[in-house]
Amino acid sequence: MKKILHKTRNILFESCNFLELLMAIIVLAAILIACCSLGSAFLEFWGDRFSKEAFLVFVGYVFNILIGIEFLKMLCQPSEDTVLEVLIFLVARHMILDHTTVAENLVTIISIGILFAIKKYISLPAGKEHYGIFSGNSHEGDGEEE
């Protein structure tokens, strides 16, 4: 019974790895499509290059692609650094592109400071940061090599 349970867990774990890989491929395709559409967004910006709104729309496209790239990195190599980088980009995008009040800007700046403090002073135990869907690592603690 214990062996069946162990094999079932391994099958489920490998299925999750496969699904993560599949999602990473889908996200990569979406990023590539977004990069292709960046050219037309740039041309629209160039046509109205003296408008603040046109620039913010273009920067919004660029931020979306950057956040997508960071999200893909997080899927492929999950670690506290990649998660924090995604969060930092999201908060920065919010502050730059959205029309916010002074109080909201203060909260956003404090949020970014907290994220940087977390990145600098808090880390996972050694060995956990190298796990990823492409690393070939299996779940830990079962004592078996695959």
Side-chain angles (χ1 to χ4, degrees):
M1 180 68 177
K2 205 171 190 181
K3 216 173 206 180
I4 293 172
L5 186 60
H6 181 71
K7 284 188 180 207
T8 304
R9 283 185 182 156
N10 282 340
I11 290 170
L12 288 174
F13 184 80
E14 292 305 319
S15 298
C16 289
N17 280 340
F18 174 75
L19 290 174
E20 280 183 339
L21 176 62
L22 183 63
M23 289 299 106
I25 291 169
I26 291 170
V27 169
L28 177 63
I31 291 170
L32 293 174
I33 291 168
C35 285
C36 291
S37 67
L38 191 62
S40 63
F42 179 75
L43 291 176
E44 288 177 27
F45 162 65
W46 187 258
D48 194 18
R49 62 187 168 271
F50 299 110
S51 168
K52 178 178 112 176
E53 285 77 25
F55 177 70
L56 290 177
V57 168
F58 177 70
V59 170
Y61 280 107
V62 172
F63 260 119
N64 288 338
I65 292 170
L66 288 173
I67 290 168
I69 291 168
E70 290 299 323
F71 181 69
L72 179 63
K73 285 171 43 179
M74 184 181 71
L75 280 175
C76 296
Q77 197 72 30
S79 71
E80 69 274 3
D81 282 341
T82 55
V83 172
L84 289 172
E85 286 173 7
V86 170
L87 291 174
I88 289 168
F89 272 112
L90 285 171
V91 172
R93 181 189 186 282
H94 169 75
M95 183 176 172
I96 293 170
L97 297 179
D98 294 343
H99 299 288
T100 55
T101 65
V102 174
E104 290 172 328
N105 284 340
L106 178 63
V107 170
T108 303
I109 291 168
I110 291 170
S111 300
I112 291 176
I114 290 170
L115 289 171
F116 276 113
I118 289 171
K119 188 173 181 172
K120 180 170 179 143
Y121 296 111
I122 298 176
S123 63
L124 292 176
K128 292 278 189 180
E129 67 273 1
H130 297 295
Y131 172 75
I133 60 176
F134 302 119
S135 65
N137 291 348
S138 183
H139 46 93
E140 297 178 28
D142 63 11
E144 291 185 24
E145 299 270 332
E146 295 189 64

